[in-house]
Amino acid sequence: MNLTTVILAAGKGTRMRSQLPKILHFIGHKSLLRHVYDSSVNLNNNAIHVVIGHGAEQVKKTLANLSVNWIEQTQQLGTGHAVQQVSNQIDDNSMVLILYGDVPLLQAETLKALLGKTNEKTLSLLTVNLKNPTGYGRIVRNDSGKVLRIVEEKDASSTEKIIAEVNTGILAVQGASLKKWLSQLNNNNAQGEYYLTDIIALAVEDGFDIATTAPQNEDEVLGVNDKLQLAHLERVYQLQQAQNLMREGVSLRDPKRFDLRGEIIELGQDVEIDVNVIFEGENRIGNNVKIGANCSIKNATIGDDVIILANCVIENAVIGANSRIGPFARLRPETVLATETHIGNFVEIKKSTIGQGSKVNHLSYIGDSLIGKKVNIGAGTITCNYDGVNKFQTIIEDGAFIGSDTQLVAPVTIGKNATIGAGSTITKDAPDNQLTLSRSKQMSMEGWQRPVKKEKL
Ligand code: UD1
Ligand code: CA
């Protein structure tokens, strides 16, 4: 039997107090709807239909790359009404899985278990026992434990309200029967809505069994209604990712203070990560890499035995093996560091290639530069790469030594093994092997007196 997934996502999300439709809010690097999509996309789906309403245009535009069928529910008349919008797209012979767009952390294993219990005569429900079931639909069973129906909080009697087993909203059922029961729904209830949950009683009437499955943990079925729940699930998600990395051998000083808003595509052994490190985008990390506290790292390739000290910001950069970065270094896009480089305190590097064994240890700006091997850049060196309109390149050849507080006005080339005297402003190419400097002569004035303050009377 093929599978059709229906994701309900038309609700407004008033309590988010946001212009952004609820399902477009993020957990990690993915929107809520994207999480739901990802958990179901590998289930051998025949089709995924997403019922949207509030912010429909924005949702479709933002998630245009998802291979789903968007279905608009212009008025939100209830979960049953939402699924009715998809009725004519559902194959009689298919199995239908209902998901919510605002329940982002469902695991594929849980969905597989649910689907495993579904057949031509069995509807399966994902339910969970809650200490505080307030607000949820309750699962009503008979004395022998058979599920009879679901009663919504607002329609429940005081004895029904005591039931701890609640409906998560996630269910699976055979297509033809679902369509039949959908056509029989009415809105004679406390909320005047067409409840999808009313199909349970109709299924029981038709001689169906109702199977229930529990998720592996409660957080899987939690929905997002406000920013507090969003933040809670963000931490749940981040802890899951941290635990996955630790299982792969990463040492995290504190898994609760780690964020991965993207992916680590390649991971070596014996990687150590201190607290408050944030990864974004796609990253590759070699063996024996050590990352200090408070680093923000995006789209980086980090070679073996690299040490990144605390408080570095790294984006779209390649760091060669055995290099040492930071503390307080910033590697901006298109930085390529060869092996054994040292980039130190308060150094900013942009769109530059730095050769093997070269050092930029303190307080420097290196932009649009091509730097050879074993170059030493003294403290406070600045490549003046920009005239306000155009960017120019600085080339520093192998073995050059740039004295502290030098300005290299690009375009300019510093030759092999050249030495630049400290405090120079270099506007012309410096030849190989020579000392080049531009510095006004130092002088001293004999007999000069420093002005003195007159004492107040
Ligand atoms: C629903 C269930 C309840 C369950 C709870 C779990 C019904 C009648 N009740 O209640 O048993 O315990 O979920 O969270 O099904 N939606 C639409 N169109 C609509 C209405 C809702 O797309 O017209 C979507 C929402 O965007 C949301 C989902 O359906 O993703 C659930 O809607 P919501 O209003 O949160 O349902 P509850 O009343 O909480
Ligand atoms: Ca809800």
Side-chain angles (χ1 to χ4, degrees):
M1 223 189 271
N2 59 39
L3 179 69
T4 301
T5 298
V6 178
I7 303 176
L8 304 186
K12 190 163 185 196
T14 314
R15 282 178 282 160
M16 295 297 278
R17 297 186 179 275
S18 169
Q19 294 292 322
L20 194 67
K22 176 160 79 175
I23 50 171
L24 294 185
H25 284 266
F26 272 59
I27 286 185
H29 63 304
K30 297 193 289 192
S31 64
L32 298 181
L33 185 59
R34 177 84 216 205
H35 280 277
V36 178
Y37 173 84
D38 285 351
S39 69
S40 59
V41 74
N42 292 324
L43 294 171
N44 258 326
N45 267 291
N46 179 35
I48 300 179
H49 304 282
V50 186
V51 181
I52 48 176
H54 283 280
E57 289 313 311
Q58 199 182 347
V59 172
K60 281 197 277 189
K61 218 172 116 197
T62 311
L63 296 172
N65 59 339
L66 298 192
S67 41
V68 301
N69 180 28
W70 302 107
I71 293 179
E72 288 197 37
Q73 182 195 23
T74 40
Q75 269 187 298
Q76 280 73 55
L77 303 180
T79 49
H81 181 258
V83 183
Q84 278 170 0
Q85 311 309 303
V86 193
S87 252
N88 58 8
Q89 313 259 358
I90 294 173
D91 236 16
D92 280 355
N93 292 318
S94 68
M95 199 72 89
V96 182
L97 173 66
I98 309 284
L99 301 174
Y100 286 179
D102 57 0
V103 178
L105 299 187
L106 265 177
Q107 302 296 305
E109 291 71 45
T110 300
L111 294 178
K112 279 179 199 151
L114 183 84
L115 290 168
K117 291 191 181 177
T118 317
N119 60 43
E120 283 78 2
K121 276 283 163 197
T122 309
L123 179 155
S124 50
L125 282 177
L126 191 66
T127 70
V128 65
N129 284 294
L130 295 181
K131 272 197 200 106
N132 177 11
T134 310
Y136 289 89
R138 309 297 206 285
I139 308 296
V140 181
R141 295 178 184 262
N142 68 11
D143 292 342
S144 48
K146 273 187 61 177
V147 175
L148 300 178
R149 59 193 173 91
I150 294 177
V151 61
E152 290 303 299
E153 165 90 17
K154 290 195 173 120
D155 302 286
S157 66
S158 51
T159 37
E160 286 166 340
K161 280 188 181 147
I162 298 166
I163 300 171
E165 188 186 9
V166 306
N167 174 33
T168 64
I170 313 305
L171 62 87
V173 65
Q174 191 247 348
S177 306
L178 173 67
K179 281 156 63 176
K180 178 186 159 212
W181 302 324
L182 285 173
S183 70
Q184 295 170 14
L185 294 180
N186 63 54
N187 62 356
N188 304 328
N189 52 52
Q191 301 185 82
E193 286 182 6
Y194 295 89
Y195 292 163
L196 179 64
T197 44
D198 284 351
I199 69 168
I200 310 305
L202 295 171
V204 171
E205 249 175 60
D206 278 354
F208 266 62
D209 280 331
I210 312 296
T212 56
T213 306
Q216 280 154 327
N217 66 67
E218 236 175 68
D219 293 320
E220 273 191 64
V221 296
L222 291 183
V224 173
N225 293 305
D226 59 25
K227 296 281 172 71
L228 283 81
Q229 290 167 332
L230 185 71
H232 172 71
L233 290 186
E234 175 77 32
R235 291 330 303 161
V236 170
Y237 179 66
Q238 291 301 348
L239 190 58
Q240 283 172 0
Q241 298 196 108
Q243 288 168 343
N244 288 341
L245 285 175
M246 291 188 293
R247 281 185 201 106
E248 290 183 57
V250 175
S251 300
L252 289 175
R253 278 302 174 97
D254 184 355
K256 291 197 167 138
R257 285 181 287 170
F258 172 78
D259 288 78
L260 173 57
R261 300 176 193 150
E263 281 163 275
I264 293 174
I265 301 174
E266 285 168 29
L267 177 65
Q269 279 195 322
D270 299 301
V271 170
E272 289 179 25
I273 301 178
D274 212 325
V275 300
N276 296 328
V277 172
I278 301 175
F279 278 99
E280 290 177 78
E282 296 185 345
N283 299 279
R284 294 172 173 81
I285 307 177
N287 294 311
N288 302 310
V289 169
K290 292 183 175 46
I291 300 172
N294 310 317
C295 290
S296 173
I297 302 174
K298 181 174 184 177
N299 298 325
T301 298
I302 304 170
D304 293 344
D305 303 292
V306 165
I307 296 176
I308 299 173
L309 297 163
N311 301 302
C312 291
V313 178
I314 296 169
E315 180 178 358
N316 289 31
V318 176
I319 304 171
N322 291 298
S323 293
R324 198 189 67 210
I325 315 297
F328 296 100
R330 176 158 184 222
L331 305 183
R332 290 172 54 198
E334 295 182 63
T335 292
V336 178
L337 309 179
T339 57
E340 294 158 49
T341 59
H342 285 187
I343 308 299
N345 319 261
F346 306 104
V347 171
E348 175 180 351
I349 313 245
K350 188 216 80 173
K351 202 175 183 182
S352 296
T353 298
I354 297 188
Q356 182 184 1
S358 291
K359 296 176 180 169
V360 191
N361 271 329
H362 326 269
L363 299 155
S364 292
Y365 171 64
I366 304 295
D368 303 295
S369 301
L370 190 56
I371 297 181
K373 294 177 191 166
K374 299 237 181 238
V375 168
N376 196 314
I377 309 270
T381 296
I382 292 172
T383 55
C384 308
N385 58 331
Y386 187 49
D387 63 7
V389 180
N390 305 297
K391 299 263 168 71
F392 299 98
Q393 194 179 39
T394 300
I395 297 172
I396 304 176
E397 294 177 353
D398 295 351
F401 181 100
I402 313 296
S404 295
D405 191 29
T406 293
Q407 299 90 55
L408 300 165
V409 182
V412 71
T413 298
I414 309 300
K416 246 186 186 175
N417 296 315
T419 300
I420 306 298
S424 295
T425 300
I426 301 296
T427 54
K428 290 178 286 198
D429 291 354
D432 295 355
N433 301 311
Q434 294 182 26
L435 169 68
T436 300
L437 76 170
S438 78
R439 193 193 282 167
S440 46
K441 278 226 166 66
Q442 182 171 326
M443 61 175 197
S444 303
M445 294 167 85
E446 215 179 308
W448 178 83
Q449 295 238 316
R450 190 190 294 171
V452 270
K453 271 190 191 161
K454 283 202 183 99
E455 268 189 41
K456 279 192 187 139
L457 296 169

